[in-house]
């Protein structure tokens, strides 16, 4: 995934690049590095660790141009030698890269044949060596010639000792944004790294090259200058602040009632759902809804499937973007495709959206990060208003997505007054219910102290409970590293029940009224085989309470808002389990907040 930053100014720029990298750590945090040009030479510092570990070294770097990188390892382990920037064999160029070079093996063989010695195992190093090989005094020409030989995706920033006041860049497939500031210009993988310094920004398109100097930004395509428009930066700088909380994740879990309130303020007026971004009839004549997303956003889509089916009475499909983008194209007539993404930068989701656009399908994106790439690829964007989310494991991002889907369904059906009143009242009750559920945090911690000893746990549920089980299971595994899987309770008998033995921990989610008896049967079946079952159920449900070993009673809520509330005890459980296992909660191993490569 990786994040890249580059700055050109009339003063030292390494500190700004360092600050930018801190903002980009959500893209990967295996290793980091910064290079500057100082007295005609490249000076470079790298660490096999977090960006913060680069601080002291970065303070010793001085240069009017700097580039920096935070890495999520794809080719080669997270070592210092594999960390970027990479330097060309002649010492003239330093380069940082986000993306994947698919023909790096062939290019490396070719360059090695020419006597070039590689210092890293990365795919990225071939780019800088290729640039050096193609350099005859004009870095833009060398960059152009080199990138034309690359397959895959890249956002590249480059410095050259012969041009000590410029940063060069190229883009294909991976995001790259140029920023114009006061007496300084810059580039980065996303707006957050630029927002403290830039007044206006411009997104590079695939195939474009860029040269930035402190007072100019020149764009090129095929070696010829191109004009680009800049837009004023809308995103305000935000200070990542945990407040009284120990981790961002728990802070963000506790942010949820406020997020829910602000969504309600924005989306419910005079007892009606409001989506002023949408044309009023956008959902009127559709024949189906197709939801596409990755990770927790996919799980939010699964919850959305049950909610929208219930409200719209239409077929709703949910696809993983990584599968959807390569599946045989289906006719999109009568289909509205809804892309869900907290970051708006997930590579597979972007590729899926590009595909729908190419097929002229109608689309809506549900996104948290303003002006992110996905918003440019869909007909309409609905912002989730969750505020900046820092912890890699999403919590408030997920609930904001599910709430937006609930509201969208209500909006589409609000001509039916019976749907409207009940549903709107249910949505309005969410903040208060969330607060109640957050009040059970000590209980969640007690449960977590037991769960932390498990090697494997299972989550079961039906209908929307199954959708929540998927997210509960993902939350637990991604931050506590305990193996966990979620099954549709009715599918257990078709294989998964073979995993149940004496003492196996099973979480049963059983709040969806019409099917509670069915899940009670599934609980009995796993208990008969020795499972120890903790069940979440509505507080008036004596049957589930009687059959489980331990209960998580939840307030009785309208089914369309069930998912938003039911996930909270499981977010807390995941958090406290990870905490009692001593895991790095906000930056779990091997993960990144935004997956910008496929
Ligand atoms: C990563 C994150 C998840 C997120 C998923 C999709 O895997 O760790 O929390 O759900 O990407 O991200 P998106 O930004 O598209 O919602």
């Amino acid at each position: 995934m990786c994040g890249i930053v580059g700055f050109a100014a009339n003063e030292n720029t390494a500190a700004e690049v360092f600050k930018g990298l801190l903002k980009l750590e959500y893209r990967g945090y295996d290793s980091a590095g910064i290079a500057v040009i100082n007295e005609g030479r490249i000076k470079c510092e790298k660490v096999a660790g977090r960006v913060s570990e680069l601080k002291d070294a970065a303070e010793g770097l001085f240069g009017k141009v700097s580039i920096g990188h935070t890495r999520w390892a794809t080719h080669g382990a997270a070592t210092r030698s594999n960390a970027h920037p990479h330097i060309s064999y002649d010492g003239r160029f330093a380069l940082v890269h986000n993306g994947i070079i698919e023909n790096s093996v062939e290019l490396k063989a070719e360059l090695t044949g020419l006597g070039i010695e590689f210092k890293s195992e990365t795919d990225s190093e071939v780019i800088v060596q290729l640039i050096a090989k193609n350099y005859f005094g004009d870095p833009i020409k060398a960059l152009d010639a080199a990138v034309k030989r690359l397959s895959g995706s890249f956002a590249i920033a480059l410095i050259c000792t012969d041009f000590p006041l410029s940063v060069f860049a190229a883009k294909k497939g991976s995001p790259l944004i140029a920023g114009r500031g006061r007496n300084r210009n810059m580039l980065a993988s996303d707006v957050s790294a630029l927002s403290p310094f830039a007044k206006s920004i411009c997104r590079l398109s695939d195939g474009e090259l860029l040269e930035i100097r402190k007072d100019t930004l020149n764009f090129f395509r095929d070696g010829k200058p191109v004009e680009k428009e800049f837009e004023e930066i809308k995103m305000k700088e935000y200070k990542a602040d945990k407040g009284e909380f120990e981790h961002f994740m728990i802070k963000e879990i506790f942010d949820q009632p406020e997020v829910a309130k602000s969504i309600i303020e924005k989306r419910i007026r005079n007892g009606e759902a409001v989506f002023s971004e949408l044309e009023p009839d956008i959902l009127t004549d559709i024949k189906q809804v197709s939801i596409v997303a990755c990770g927790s956003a996919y799980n939010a889509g699964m919850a959305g499937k049950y909610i929208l089916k219930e409200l719209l009475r239409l077929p709703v499909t949910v696809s993983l973007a990584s599968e959807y983008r390569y599946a045989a194209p289906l006719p999109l007539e009568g289909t509205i495709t809804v892309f869900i993404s907290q970051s708006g930068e997930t590579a597979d989701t972007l590729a899926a959206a590009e595909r729908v656009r190419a097929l002229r399908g109608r689309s809506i994106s549900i996104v948290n990060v303003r002006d992110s790439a996905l918003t440019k690829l869909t007909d309409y964007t609905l912002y989730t208003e969750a505020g900046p989310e820092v912890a890699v494991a999403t919590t408030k991002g997920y609930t904001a997505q599910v709430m937006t889907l609930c509201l969208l369904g209500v909006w589409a059906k609000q001509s039916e007054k019976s749907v409207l009143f009940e549903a709107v009242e249910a949505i309005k009750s969410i903040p208060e219910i969330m607060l109640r559920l957050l009040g059970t945090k000590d209980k969640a911690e007690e449960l977590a102290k037991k769960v932390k000893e498990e090697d494997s746990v299972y989550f079961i549920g039906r209908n929307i409970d199954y959708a929540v089980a998927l997210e509960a299971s993902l939350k637990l595994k991604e931050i506590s590293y305990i193996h966990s899987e979620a099954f549709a309770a009715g599918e257990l008998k078709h294989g998964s029940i073979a995993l149940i033995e004496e003492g196996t921990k099973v979480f049963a989610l059983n709040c969806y009224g019409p099917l509670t008896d069915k899940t009670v049967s599934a609980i009995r079946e796993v208990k008969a085989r020795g499972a120890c079952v903790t069940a979440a159920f509505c507080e008036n449900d004596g049957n589930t309470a009687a059959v489980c070993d331990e209960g998580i009673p939840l307030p009785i809520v309208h089914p369309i808002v069930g998912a938003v509330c039911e996930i909270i005890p499981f977010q807390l459980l995941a958090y406290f389990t990870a905490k009692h296992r001593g895991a790095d909660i906000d930056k779990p191993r091997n993960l990144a907040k935004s997956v910008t490569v496929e």
Side-chain angles (χ1 to χ4, degrees), residues 508-525 527 533-553:
L509 282 73
N510 199 17
C511 293
Y512 181 65
L515 295 177
T516 50
D517 290 349
K518 302 283 174 196
T519 300
V520 164
S521 301
I523 295 174
R524 283 189 206 285
E525 286 162 11
K527 275 194 64 68
V533 179
T534 299
F537 50 83
C538 293
E539 51 205 7
N540 64 345
D541 175 6
N543 290 346
T544 311
V547 76
C548 66
D549 296 286
E550 194 172 6
I552 306 178

Side-chain angles (χ1 to χ4, degrees), residues 355-369:
R355 190 176 181 195
V356 167
R357 194 165 69 154
L359 294 169
R360 296 179 188 281
R362 284 187 302 166
S363 60
I364 298 176
S365 52
I366 297 183
V367 176
N368 193 38
V369 177

Side-chain angles (χ1 to χ4, degrees), residues 293-298 340-346 349 389 391-394 401 471 474-475 478 591-595:
C294 301
S296 290
Y298 169 85
I340 311 174
S341 175
Q342 187 283 132
S343 63
E345 300 288 349
T346 302
T349 311
E389 197 178 51
V392 166
T394 179
Q401 288 163 352
E471 176 61 6
L474 178 61
K475 241 12 23 147
E478 67 183 339
L591 299 181
K593 185 138 193 78
S594 179
V595 180

Side-chain angles (χ1 to χ4, degrees), residues 138-344:
D138 182 341
I140 285 289
K141 279 195 180 141
L143 185 57
D144 199 25
V147 298
K148 291 213 157 104
R149 299 219 40 214
L150 305 176
S151 343
S153 60
F154 52 82
I156 297 164
L158 178 81
I159 49 177
C160 172
T161 52
D162 295 345
F163 295 82
L165 301 176
S166 299
V167 178
F168 302 93
K171 172 203 151 51
K172 189 190 132 200
S174 305
L176 189 60
I177 297 160
R180 195 181 262 155
R182 184 169 297 145
N183 298 326
R184 65 200 57 225
N185 289 316
M186 61 215 83
L187 59 87
S189 300
D190 95 10
V191 187
S192 69
L194 301 179
S195 60
F197 313 102
K199 288 193 286 188
S200 56
I201 53 161
C202 169
R203 281 170 192 276
L204 272 81
S205 302
D206 282 354
E208 287 178 350
L209 307 183
L210 167 67
E211 178 182 5
I212 60 173
R213 294 163 70 100
K214 77 172 171 51
D215 37 25
T216 55
L217 291 121
N218 293 312
F219 297 84
F220 306 88
R221 181 181 284 281
D222 296 325
K224 298 198 184 71
V226 286
E227 289 298 318
K228 298 278 288 180
E229 287 200 359
F230 275 71
E231 55 186 279
E232 206 181 307
I233 199 157
K234 286 188 214 122
M235 182 197 228
K236 293 212 178 64
E237 188 192 1
Y238 67 86
K239 293 244 177 309
D241 184 6
K242 293 195 283 250
E244 75 209 65
F245 293 97
E246 196 178 340
H247 297 98
F248 278 104
M249 184 177 174
I250 189 73
K251 176 200 173 266
E252 289 160 3
I253 290 174
F254 274 80
D255 278 348
Q256 290 176 110
E258 279 308 310
V259 171
K261 258 192 222 161
S262 55
I263 294 174
I264 291 164
E265 267 162 34
K266 175 171 174 177
R267 299 276 179 213
I268 299 182
R269 253 176 258 146
N270 304 324
E272 289 199 352
V274 182
F275 280 89
S276 47
E277 309 89 322
L278 299 176
E279 278 166 45
D281 60 351
I282 177 90
L283 299 180
T284 311
D285 292 324
I286 53 162
K287 295 196 176 61
Q288 67 159 340
V289 180
S290 158
I291 300 176
V292 183
C294 301
S296 290
Y298 169 85
N299 293 343
M302 284 292 286
K305 173 173 99 169
Y306 293 108
I307 296 165
L308 293 178
K309 269 186 172 176
E310 186 121 2
L311 288 166
L312 306 183
R313 305 278 160 185
L314 280 178
V316 182
T317 59
V318 192
S319 310
L320 292 165
S322 53
E323 293 291 317
Y324 182 94
R325 64 182 288 189
Y326 295 118
L330 292 172
L332 290 173
E333 225 179 285
T335 301
I336 185 95
T337 309
V338 179
F339 295 96
I340 311 174
S341 175
Q342 187 283 132
S343 63

